[in-house]
Amino acid sequence: PLGVYDPLGLIETRDMRRYEIMEIKHGRSAMLGFVHILAIHAGVRLPGYLSQAAGLKFADMPVGCFASLEATPTAGWLQIMIVTAMAETGAGNVPDLPGPSGLAGGPTGLVKAGLLGQPQTADKAPGDIGGEIWQRYADPEERAFKLNAERNNGRAAMLGVTGCLIHELLGVDALYPTGGLGGAAPPPIFS
């Protein structure tokens, strides 16, 4: 919907497939990140411990973007990096690994269905890393519309996350930089 802006004509001089793949991946990550910012500011917390060894509960995590990054233990960051690498490479899709029954594919449905994703290969469209459980569109017009909507939402989310981070660096609330209600952010919705 926003069209292509290429005043220098660089698209014809480079292989844009890699850039398309990176834009889609970064957009998806940014959409998840922005939903995380909204949920944390609304007071949504997972039950249980983030780190039992450190005695750190999810409810104890600070609200700020940078504060929560710094409060996450090193082992937590290692787990995040391992799961991300597994999703990028498709290493999590081991067909013989037992998963919960009732999902697509029977007892191995969790992995066989591609919940962790499949590697991006040359025979797939950019961003098509989902397994059997992901929605596919046969109509080319509908598919193009959905892909453009996803890209534009991803672009907006990238700008939104960047704006939240800049607001925090400037010392104001990420979602309410002008002070919100009487100079402070509103109270959490869920507590």
Side-chain angles (χ1 to χ4, degrees), residues 49-73:
Y49 284 89
L50 177 64
S51 171
Q52 287 185 340
L56 181 63
K57 294 184 176 183
F58 285 105
D60 298 335
M61 289 296 288
V63 173
C65 297
F66 289 108
S68 63
L69 289 174
E70 293 169 358
T72 303

Side-chain angles (χ1 to χ4, degrees), residues 50-51 56 58 69 71-84:
L50 177 64
S51 171
L56 181 63
F58 285 105
L69 289 174
T72 303
T74 305
W77 283 115
L78 290 173
Q79 290 173 1
I80 291 169
M81 290 174 20
I82 289 170
V83 169
T84 303

